[in-house]
Amino acid sequence: MVDLQTQYMRLKDEIDGSVLNVMDSTRFIGGPVVDGFARELEAYLGCKHVIPCANGTDALQIAMMALGLKPGDEVIVPTFTYVATAEVIALLGLTPVMVDVEPDTFCIDLKQVEEAITSSTKAIVPVHLYGQCADMEGLMNLANAHGIHVIEDNAQAIGSDYHFSNGKTVKSGTIGDFGCTSFFPSKNLGCFGDGGAICTNNDELAATARIIASHGQTQLYVHDLIGVNSRLDAIQAAVLKVKLPHLDDFIARRTRVADRYDAAFSSCEGIKTPVRGVQSKHVFHQYTLVLNGVDRNELKSFLAENEVPSMIYYPIPLHKQKAYAMGNTDRNYSTTEELCANVISLPIHTEMEEQQQEYIIEKVLEFVNKG
Ligand SMILES: Cc1ncc(COP(=O)(O)O)c(C=O)c1O
């Protein structure tokens, strides 16, 4: 699905040099490379504070802890997402309340969010799925009107822009109280292991999140809060420091791949290409088709027989997962159920050559037209 090898080869000298410098310094935990990367990411995102941590799941957990959410508090999440979003809610004893998504953007459905708000609702977690933002303007208006916190799950959309109707444009992840991201290797900005970050424009929340990420420690061996041990290590930061200046180029390369897929599939009956919302720039973490009348299992097998990988993100919605039954309500989840049954993601990455892509397109069209 992604070609990390070729990307590494292209940046090898820079990355190797950066990693070797950390090895020479033996500053493996914290230190100037981690701090330097955090400051550079703040500048890129245009946000006041970036707090690096061990992974995107921890980022969500630390954000929820920093907001002081307590067991029994309700947190609204889309049911069409990766499990991490709901996992941390449940781990903290909070109550996930699952709502459906919009059919075009695959992001949280604001009408259902509004209906789901109760006096116990303390936070909403919009997930910027596949690389484009949820309707953050509408969501922030709703959340502010009810005094509810917003934590953006920005794991799949780092680098995306969000345009407000007043003309203001900001980076995804910098709109809510917190934005949480993942540097998992296959993400748009990926390191060589696990990594994550929390960002916020709120000084007080930033200070609390920083303390929580470091065992709740306010001074050496003084623990005023219960925290976690969640650190981005310096070797990962060294990789990310090299890759960050390339992020906009990575996004442009992914977008060129998406444009070529769109052109090939747009007039093909049975395939719906991704809808690009007007308020958000799509950064194409995934290129996901919605099939209509095309047998997905057979298409997937046909592609595999022809050595074309494909993935289903996600086959089972949260509300149907045994572990998360507590968040299932009697709401209508028809859009998510339709998507879980019909989405298929094709390979997309920064190194895709036109010839490779033509082959993938040819195989998809061969199967769909045959049917
Ligand atoms: C939407 C979403 N949220 C959270 C995460 C968790 O990130 P990590 O794997 O770094 O913990 C991911 C990563 O796969 C994700 O896609």
Side-chain angles (χ1 to χ4, degrees):
M1 295 294 286
V2 290
D3 180 358
L4 298 177
Q5 178 87 27
T6 310
Q7 189 192 71
Y8 170 49
M9 287 304 148
R10 194 157 57 80
L11 303 173
K12 186 173 174 14
D13 289 348
E14 267 185 283
I15 291 177
D16 289 1
S18 185
V19 169
L20 285 172
N21 281 341
V22 172
M23 313 255 268
D24 282 338
S25 76
T26 64
R27 291 291 302 270
F28 296 120
I29 299 289
V33 179
V34 178
D35 291 344
F37 168 67
R39 301 297 81 77
E40 285 156 25
L41 188 56
E42 284 163 1
Y44 175 84
L45 294 173
C47 90
K48 278 176 89 177
H49 307 280
V50 163
I51 300 126
C53 63
N55 54 65
T57 309
D58 279 6
L60 290 163
Q61 178 173 338
I62 293 162
M64 286 177 205
M65 290 171 77
L67 288 170
L69 304 186
K70 298 272 176 317
D73 288 348
E74 292 176 6
V75 180
I76 300 175
V77 276
T79 185
F80 190 54
T81 181
Y82 184 57
V83 69
T85 323
E87 190 173 57
V88 294
I89 297 172
L91 272 175
L92 293 174
L94 313 172
T95 307
V97 175
M98 289 150 195
V99 297
D100 208 355
V101 295
E102 292 179 349
D104 283 343
T105 62
F106 313 140
C107 292
I108 199 162
D109 178 339
L110 289 205
K111 237 178 99 243
Q112 280 210 3
V113 171
E114 192 163 13
E115 287 163 11
I117 292 173
T118 70
S119 55
S120 300
T121 308
K122 292 293 177 308
I124 307 169
V125 186
V127 180
H128 302 325
L129 204 73
Y130 301 155
Q132 71 180 330
C133 297
D135 173 2
M136 288 306 295
E137 181 158 0
L139 191 78
M140 291 310 293
N141 288 339
L142 192 58
N144 289 336
H146 289 85
I148 296 169
H149 296 296
V150 172
I151 301 165
E152 296 172 75
D153 184 339
N154 196 30
Q156 300 189 7
I158 192 164
S160 173
D161 293 318
Y162 186 81
H163 311 291
F164 283 90
S165 54
N166 65 3
K168 193 174 166 203
T169 294
V170 298
K171 288 284 179 203
S172 63
T174 67
I175 303 164
D177 297 277
F178 282 114
C180 299
T181 202
S182 162
F183 304 125
F184 187 79
S186 61
K187 292 288 193 275
N188 284 21
L189 179 63
C191 57
F192 287 2
D194 275 310
I198 305 152
C199 67
T200 181
N201 283 310
N202 181 314
D203 299 341
E204 221 172 291
L205 288 179
T208 308
R210 233 179 262 289
I211 291 168
I212 288 171
S214 178
H215 293 292
Q217 179 171 278
T218 44
Q219 299 166 42
L220 192 61
Y221 304 128
V222 177
H223 304 270
D224 290 348
L225 298 172
I226 294 174
V228 293
N229 172 19
S230 188
R231 302 183 277 233
L232 178 73
D233 72 66
I235 288 181
Q236 301 310 332
V239 173
L240 291 164
K241 235 172 148 343
V242 171
K243 283 193 171 190
L244 179 60
H246 295 274
L247 178 56
D248 286 340
D249 175 57
F250 293 163
I251 292 168
R253 285 163 175 260
R254 286 174 174 273
T255 306
R256 280 201 290 278
V257 175
D259 290 345
R260 293 200 292 261
Y261 277 140
D262 276 0
F265 301 137
S266 60
S267 58
C268 183
E269 254 182 66
I271 289 183
K272 184 179 165 195
T273 54
V275 176
R276 305 184 193 194
V278 285
Q279 283 177 294
S280 165
K281 181 174 97 175
H282 205 315
V283 294
F284 287 103
H285 175 56
Q286 300 298 344
Y287 185 87
T288 303
L289 300 170
V290 184
L291 303 174
N292 179 13
V294 176
D295 189 305
R296 185 174 67 181
N297 285 343
E298 284 185 18
L299 169 61
K300 204 169 183 322
S301 307
F302 176 79
L303 293 176
E305 280 158 26
N306 287 283
E307 292 178 49
V308 175
S310 63
M311 287 293 286
I312 312 301
Y313 305 114
Y314 299 92
I316 306 172
L318 289 182
H319 68 272
K320 289 209 167 150
Q321 301 281 359
K322 216 159 129 188
Y324 297 100
M326 81 291 257
N328 189 352
T329 62
D330 56 4
R331 269 179 199 89
N332 174 0
Y333 296 116
S334 55
T335 302
T336 293
E337 279 165 16
E338 182 95 16
L339 293 172
C340 288
N342 292 299
V343 287
I344 185 162
S345 300
L346 298 179
I348 189 164
H349 53 80
T350 58
E351 313 303 315
M352 176 95 74
E353 286 171 15
E354 272 194 67
Q355 236 182 338
Q356 282 179 311
Q357 192 177 0
E358 273 163 23
Y359 176 75
I360 298 169
I361 290 169
E362 184 192 308
K363 290 296 156 197
V364 172
L365 290 179
E366 189 181 322
F367 182 86
V368 173
N369 292 332
K370 178 171 78 178

